[in-house]
Structure formats: C-alpha cells, structure tokens
Amino acid sequence: MFQDPTLVLRAKNRRQYQKLMYHRSVVALHHRYPNIFPLEEYTLKAFAFCLNSVQARAFGRRLPWSAMVPFADCLNHGNVQTKYDYNVEGNNKFRLFPSGKNHYRMGSEVFNSYGRRPNENLLQDYGFAMLDNEWEEVDLHFEIPEGDLNYSWKRRALFAMGHSTRRLFRMNTCGLSFEMLSCLRVAVLHEDEIEVMEDNEFNPERIQMDKFSQVSPISMFHRIVGRENELRALRTMFTCLNELVESWPTSLENDELLLIDLLHLRPNKSSSEKGTEITRIVQRLGFDYDSDEYWKLLNAVKYRLTRKRIITKGIHMVNTLISWFEDQPSSSGQQSKCKLTVQDVFDDNNPALNMKRSLIYKVQLHEYLDMAASPTLW
C-alpha cells in the first residue's frame, strides 16, 4: 500500500522496541513488586497505548518537564510557525500561539506544529501523511561493491571524506543530493584517473585531512573534477533514481488520478455534484468515505505520491544536467557553449518547498552551475 519496504520494516522494529521497553520496565517492576504491578492490569497493550499517547501528544521541549495539555493536544498538525511556553512572569499558564508570519483569520482552523517531521514519522506517531510535506525525504542507497578493482583506494578516499562504501543518502523536496553526487564522483573513477590524481600527489593515505586543504578529498570531490567523470556520476544517479521508479507497483500518474477520486468522495460537495460519479468511484474502490479503508488508502497515497514527486523532480534535474554536459566540448580547456541558470534546473513553483531550505539549496546549485561552466581537470 505504501510502496516503501523500509517503512514497513521500521514499523515492525518499532513494535519490537515497544515490547523490549515493556519487558525492561513493567515486567522488571512486576518481578520486584508483583502485588503493585500485576501483569493482568499492566498489559503490553496498555503500555503501548500510554507510550504512543505520550509520544504523540506530550509537550516538553520548552517546558521544565514533559506534560499532557488538554485541548492544546487536540489541534491538527500543519507546517506552520508556532511557539508555546509556561508560567511566564509567574502567570501559571500554558500558552500556545502563532509566531513568525503565521496568523489565523477569524473562523479558520487553528493548527499546531508537531515539529519538522517527515511523513514516515507522522504516520508512525499520528497515523496520517501530508501531501507535498516540505520535510519529506527519500532514502537513496549508495554502495561501492568490494569487487571494484580500485575498491581499497576509493574506500580510503570516502573515509577521508567522512563516508563509507555503503550508506544511505536522503533526497529532499529541493532535488538531487549534492552529497551523494560527491561520493559518486569517487565511485565512478577509472584507474587511469586515479593514476593521474596520484601523480599530482593526491593520495588518501598521505594528504593532510584538513577540510580546508586545497588537496583534501573533501575539497576535491565536492567540486566538478572533469566532464567525463561528472557525466558518469550523474548517469549513475539517474540509474539509481530510475530503478526506484521501476520498483513502484503504480505510477505517479495513476496515484494522481486515485487521489482525485479519493478526495472526490469527501462529503463537501453539493448533492448535485454527487450521484453517479460518486457511485462509480465507490464501486471501483470497494468502500466509501466513512470506512477505515478510505483513510488508510488516502494517507498511503499521500505518502507515496509525495515521495514519487520528489524522485520525479530529481530525475528531471539530473537529466537536464546530463543533457547539458553531453552538449559541452570534451576537450579540457575549452569554454562551455552556454551556461545553465538556476531557473533552468530548479522549480520555484514546487508547493512542497521550504523557503529557508530552498534558498540554501539554490546557493549550492548556483555554485555548482558556475563550476559546470568551466570544469577543471586534475
């Protein structure tokens, strides 16, 4: 339903962790004080309910202690700016209020922010997902196989950069991961390119591991080192993203249409807009708006659709860069035919963008495109 095996695995691990906590706390107390903590009353089900309630509803970061606050914990979540405090100037009151540019019109719904939470966290703690959640991230697997002829050299270079030969990178709503791209530059190095680097005294075992050094792996692979190397790195990333797309049981377009149908079932339409169209949707889905299956499928579609939009945007960005590099002169020292702009690659109209994060990302993208205009070989 969610089309994310990692989410299913983490949910199972979460349940196992709750069982472990139950045995370490409640069962341990029962063995010590069996009359006070009878297991017939202090069950695993009751423990899990209390634990989930505290995790989902308690306030605590700005309070002297964690606390359940009636009514305040009933507000729905939104990616809005809010603050709360308690006992300011001795008033003995809890206050929850909008901050920054956040405000509410009279008669509109008041939201609280549960924090900068991706949909995986929202699903496991609260049971819902947000479409185009600005804090959503998609895990991308990176690995250099041990059978690589230059595995040892590449492993040392990645280690000097603070990475390993096997790890996860996260792609957010902005687009491609520059951190992953820097590691891919190492992963796709050819033996002759490594020899050129060593001739120029670039050796992970000898160089000074100073992040500000001009010859460190950090500074070397966080910039474009050559047209062919960058093309191989970008193509590898494209393959990674495309394999993820091919693993989806349903396409982005199919999920878009399914979401339209699900939202059409909500009882906010006039009676003239319902009728045969609603009947057709209910017959095809097999359930109506009031059923649990509706809400499960609605949040599952929001979850996977948000992830698919992130990946699709990443594919578009990577494909744009590949096409541009392929059109550039292959000889070093030649000036590029044209320069890409941030607007050519980055979509400012994405509703899932976080303003602060997108500004930082556009600075990184601008620096990258400046390098791409005149790539420097070793």
Side-chain angles (χ1 to χ4, degrees):
M1 180 179 288
F2 294 97
Q3 302 180 9
D4 181 12
T6 303
L7 175 66
V8 177
L9 179 62
R10 288 172 178 168
K12 291 180 179 179
N13 290 340
R14 182 188 178 95
R15 288 194 291 269
Q16 290 299 115
Y17 178 69
Q18 288 182 345
K19 290 181 181 179
L20 180 62
M21 289 185 64
Y22 174 75
H23 283 279
R24 285 182 174 178
S25 55
V26 177
V27 175
L29 287 170
H30 167 74
H31 289 320
R32 192 174 182 89
Y33 309 103
N35 295 329
I36 301 177
F37 298 98
L39 294 184
E40 295 80 10
E41 181 178 351
Y42 294 89
T43 63
L44 173 60
K45 183 178 180 180
F47 175 81
F49 173 79
C50 294
L51 181 62
N52 290 333
S53 296
V54 171
Q55 287 180 328
R57 295 183 174 274
F59 292 82
R61 182 173 296 180
R62 298 183 180 90
L63 302 179
W65 55 81
S66 295
M68 306 283 280
V69 184
F71 180 73
D73 62 9
C74 293
L75 297 177
N76 285 328
H77 168 70
N79 285 327
V80 296
Q81 292 178 286
T82 59
K83 287 184 178 180
Y84 62 86
D85 56 36
Y86 174 71
N87 201 29
V88 176
E89 298 180 354
N91 63 7
N92 200 32
K93 293 180 179 179
F94 175 88
R95 302 188 306 174
L96 175 63
F97 50 92
S99 61
K101 296 182 179 180
N102 182 28
H103 64 280
Y104 301 102
R105 294 180 179 178
M106 183 180 297
S108 64
E109 181 178 359
V110 175
F111 290 94
N112 182 23
S113 173
Y114 300 168
R116 298 177 179 180
R117 297 176 181 265
N119 278 336
E120 175 190 317
N121 187 270
L122 291 175
L123 276 170
Q124 296 198 63
D125 281 352
Y126 307 100
F128 70 90
M130 297 182 67
L131 184 65
D132 292 325
N133 184 355
E134 63 188 70
W135 302 113
E136 181 67 351
E137 295 177 325
V138 180
D139 289 340
L140 301 176
H141 296 268
F142 166 84
E143 181 177 1
I144 298 180
E146 294 186 12
D148 190 294
L149 295 177
N150 300 291
Y151 177 81
S152 180
W153 192 97
K154 293 176 181 179
R155 182 185 62 183
R156 294 194 302 270
L158 288 171
F159 181 77
M161 296 166 62
H163 300 295
S164 64
T165 56
R166 181 184 300 170
R167 62 159 294 177
L168 291 176
F169 289 97
R170 290 183 171 177
M171 176 177 286
N172 59 39
T173 54
C174 289
L176 67 88
S177 167
F178 287 110
E179 187 179 20
M180 182 176 182
L181 187 58
S182 66
C183 291
L184 287 175
R185 292 179 184 126
V186 178
V188 300
L189 282 171
H190 289 172
E191 187 170 358
D192 58 336
E193 295 170 331
I194 293 176
E195 291 176 356
V196 172
M197 297 182 73
E198 290 183 333
D199 289 343
N200 286 274
E201 300 183 350
F202 181 90
N203 189 311
E205 292 182 341
R206 297 199 309 265
I207 62 175
Q208 180 184 4
M209 298 308 172
D210 178 1
K211 65 180 180 180
F212 299 108
S213 171
Q214 293 301 311
V215 293
S216 73
I218 294 176
S219 62
M220 170 61 73
F221 293 108
H222 276 73
R223 60 183 174 86
I224 298 173
V225 294
R227 173 184 177 274
E228 294 303 321
N229 175 270
E230 195 69 11
L231 268 173
R232 291 196 300 271
L234 288 168
R235 287 167 180 161
T236 302
M237 181 177 286
F238 179 84
T239 300
C240 174
L241 297 175
N242 201 49
E243 287 176 350
L244 191 57
V245 172
E246 292 176 351
S247 71
W248 296 335
T250 59
S251 67
L252 182 145
E253 292 76 15
N254 289 338
D255 283 349
E256 297 274 12
L257 294 174
L258 178 56
L259 181 63
I260 292 173
D261 281 350
L262 289 169
L263 295 178
H264 198 70
L265 287 179
R266 287 185 171 181
N268 58 355
K269 305 285 185 180
S270 64
S271 57
S272 61
E273 292 181 278
K274 293 192 174 183
T276 57
E277 178 65 15
I278 296 298
T279 303
R280 180 186 63 80
I281 296 173
V282 171
Q283 289 177 345
R284 187 171 71 251
L285 296 177
F287 50 78
D288 205 345
Y289 172 83
D290 296 327
S291 65
D292 289 340
E293 286 77 11
Y294 171 86
W295 292 103
K296 290 177 182 178
L297 182 58
L298 177 64
N299 285 292
V301 171
K302 286 182 178 180
Y303 176 82
R304 68 199 197 202
L305 189 54
T306 300
R307 291 166 51 84
K308 290 176 182 180
R309 287 175 177 176
I310 291 174
I311 295 300
T312 302
K313 177 179 180 179
I315 289 176
H316 171 73
M317 293 181 69
V318 173
N319 199 38
T320 300
L321 292 172
I322 289 174
S323 299
W324 184 85
F325 273 105
E326 288 176 339
D327 195 42
Q328 303 310 302
S330 58
S331 302
S332 62
Q334 294 187 31
Q335 189 65 28
S336 60
K337 296 181 180 179
C338 64
K339 180 181 176 181
L340 279 174
T341 66
V342 172
Q343 289 73 25
D344 294 329
V345 184
F346 190 80
D347 180 16
D348 265 324
N349 296 320
N350 186 348
L353 284 177
N354 172 268
M355 183 65 68
K356 183 177 180 180
R357 177 186 277 183
S358 65
L359 287 175
I360 295 173
Y361 188 84
K362 282 193 284 188
V363 171
Q364 292 178 306
L365 183 58
H366 181 76
E367 293 174 350
Y368 176 83
L369 296 178
D370 279 345
M371 288 189 293
S374 56
T376 304
L377 297 177
W378 305 301

